[in-house]
Amino acid sequence: MNQQHEIAIEIGGTPILFRTHDSSFREMMIDRYGGFIGFLSRPTLEFEVELVTPSGEMESEEDAQVEMRDGLWHFRRGDFRAQWDPGAGRGYIRQSANPYSVDSVLRIVHSLILAGKGGFLLHAASAIRDGRAFLFSGISGAGKTTISRLAPPDVVLLTDEISYVRREARGYHACGTPFAGELARVGTNCSAPVATLFLLGKGSENKIEVVNTAEAVRCLLRNILFFAEDAELVEMIFRSACDFVDRVSVRRLTFVPDTRVWDLIV
Amino acid sequence: MSEKYIGRSSQIAARVLGGEMMVMSSVDSTFFTLNEVATAIWQAADGRTPLTEIVVRNVCDEFEVDLETARRDAEQFVSELSHHGILLVSDHPFDMSAGPVEAA
C-alpha cells in the first residue's frame, strides 16, 4: 500500500521524476506521456505527488499563479497546489488523480528552467523536415493544429501546441513535447536546429512575407508561455526573444488549409 | 512652464536590434519600439540634463526639427513612457541609481 512508484518524464533532455503511492496514477502517466518516459537518465528534479480527494477549493476555476517566496517557487491553480525548491531540485504536488495538473506543473517548471538558460516554451506547432526544425506560432485559431494535420509523411511532428525552444552554443534547437493541442497526439521526442519561425495566419493564398525586427520580437513575446510575474525573469525572456530574432529567420506565413502550404516549407 | 528632468527606470530591459531600440518594462511587460528621435531622447535621459536641453541638443540639432515641434513630441513621448514606469520624471535633477523619484 505504501510502496512508492516512480516515473521520469523527459522533455528537452531534462528528466523530471514524479513519485506517487498510487500505481494506477503512474500507469495513467505512462499512457499519457508515451515516448517521453525516461528510464535511464538521472532526474534533474523530483516531485512527490500527493493525491487528494478534490475539495471545493481545488475545483475552482482559478488561473495558474506562480511566485517565488523565500527561495521556493509556489504554484497554484484550481486543481493543484505545488512547491519547488530549485536549489535542492525537489518539490511536491497536491492534486486529485487527474493527468492535467502534472501537465501544468511540467509546463511551469520547464518555462522557468528554460528562462534561466536563454530558451522558452512557445505557443507554436513545430516539426522537423530534412534535419531542420520549423516553428509555426500563433494564438488559438491561427492554424497550429491545421498545419500539423496537413504535414506530409516526411515531416516529423514535434507538437501541435507548445514548442520547446532550447538555447545551444550555435543557435536554437526545437525539441518535441507531449503537450498536445486539438490534434490530441503527443509529439515525437527528438530535436533539431531551428531554421525558421513562421508567424501563422490563415488567408486566401499561400505566401511567406518578411517581418520587421520589432514586429518579430513583439509577436514572439506575445506567444512565449510565461507564468511568473517576476521582474528578473521578464527581463531574461525579453533578452532571449531578442537573441532569438537576431539569430533565427522569422517570417509571416499566410496559408489556405490544404497540403500545398508544405511546398513552401523547405 | 517648469523644467523637467527624465531618467531611465532600472526596471526595464532594452536592446538595439535591427537598428531599432526595443524597451520592455519588467514590471508590466509592456513593450515599446522607439524611433530614432525617441531613441536619442531615451539615451540622453540621465536624470540630470533638463528635457529642454536634450530636445535642443539631441533632437533639433541632430534631426533638423524646430524647437516647438520637437518639444511637443518629446513631451508626448515622455508622458507615455513615464505612464508605464519606463521613464522617471521629476522637476529637479536626480540620481538614477537612487531609484524612482517620481513616476509622473
Side-chain angles (χ1 to χ4, degrees), chain A:
Chain A
M1 184 68 182
N2 285 324
Q3 185 184 351
Q4 285 201 324
H5 305 278
E6 296 182 340
I7 178 172
I9 301 170
E10 184 168 346
I11 305 169
T14 302
I16 298 178
L17 186 78
F18 295 90
R19 201 172 281 127
T20 173
H21 289 283
D22 189 322
S23 62
S24 62
F25 183 72
R26 178 178 181 271
E27 294 305 314
M28 181 173 68
M29 301 257 285
I30 290 174
D31 195 41
R32 181 178 180 83
Y33 291 103
F36 292 85
I37 305 298
F39 293 99
L40 299 174
S41 310
R42 185 183 173 81
T44 305
L45 53 128
E46 303 177 3
F47 280 94
E48 300 284 341
V49 182
E50 181 190 352
L51 298 178
V52 297
T53 305
S55 64
E57 184 193 13
M58 291 185 79
E59 287 172 347
S60 72
E61 295 293 316
E62 182 185 16
D63 287 335
Q65 293 176 32
V66 178
E67 59 179 337
M68 167 67 85
R69 287 200 311 264
D70 303 323
L72 302 175
W73 283 107
H74 298 262
F75 317 147
R76 60 180 290 156
R77 201 177 65 176
D79 56 322
F80 68 83
R81 305 286 182 271
Q83 196 179 87
W84 171 37
D85 180 343
R90 285 193 293 273
Y92 72 82
I93 306 168
R94 288 183 70 233
Q95 62 160 94
S96 58
N98 74 82
Y100 310 112
S101 304
V102 163
D103 212 73
S104 289
V105 170
L106 278 170
R107 294 179 195 209
I108 293 167
V109 168
H110 279 289
S111 76
L112 293 171
I113 291 173
L114 280 167
K117 296 179 176 177
F120 45 83
L121 293 182
L122 186 66
H123 279 292
S126 47
I128 299 175
R129 187 174 220 185
D130 293 331
R132 299 186 303 153
F134 299 91
L135 303 168
F136 306 91
S137 182
I139 56 172
S140 292
K144 298 190 292 293
T145 299
T146 304
I147 202 152
S148 302
R149 200 172 271 139
L150 294 170
D154 67 303
V155 168
V156 177
L157 281 180
L158 297 175
T159 174
D160 74 320
E161 180 68 10
I162 306 291
S163 290
Y164 191 106
V165 180
R166 201 175 61 197
R167 182 82 163 90
E168 300 285 346
R170 291 187 175 183
Y172 291 85
H173 276 58
C175 307
T177 76
F179 308 130
E182 289 176 34
L183 206 57
R185 204 172 82 199
V186 297
T188 307
N189 191 1
C190 59
S191 69
V194 178
T196 305
L197 163 62
F198 290 109
L199 308 174
L200 280 184
K202 291 176 182 168
S204 57
E205 59 176 328
N206 291 329
K207 62 179 176 182
I208 291 175
E209 298 166 290
V210 171
V211 180
N212 74 46
T213 307
E215 183 64 7
V217 173
R218 191 186 302 276
C219 290
L220 182 56
L221 285 169
R222 197 180 296 145
N223 288 314
I224 289 177
L225 265 78
F226 202 61
F227 301 94
E229 293 177 7
D230 180 284
E232 194 178 336
L233 285 170
V234 169
E235 191 173 328
M236 281 187 210
I237 289 292
F238 170 77
R239 295 194 188 288
S240 298
C242 289
D243 279 341
F244 182 91
V245 169
D246 202 22
R247 289 166 174 266
V248 176
S249 129
V250 181
R251 298 287 183 267
R252 187 170 303 286
L253 172 62
T254 307
F255 73 105
V256 288
D258 69 46
T259 54
R260 287 172 298 177
V261 62
W262 277 93
D263 295 342
L264 302 177
I265 315 301
V266 288

Side-chain angles (χ1 to χ4, degrees), chain B residues 13-50:
Chain B
R15 169 137 173 207
V16 177
L17 198 60
E20 293 179 281
M21 173 68 80
M22 295 176 207
V23 182
M24 186 168 171
S25 163
S26 54
V27 176
D28 63 6
S29 301
T30 46
F31 175 76
F32 292 90
T33 311
L34 308 187
N35 64 22
E36 279 184 301
V37 174
T39 299
I41 296 171
W42 166 262
Q43 288 175 328
D46 60 2
R48 300 185 171 280
T49 310

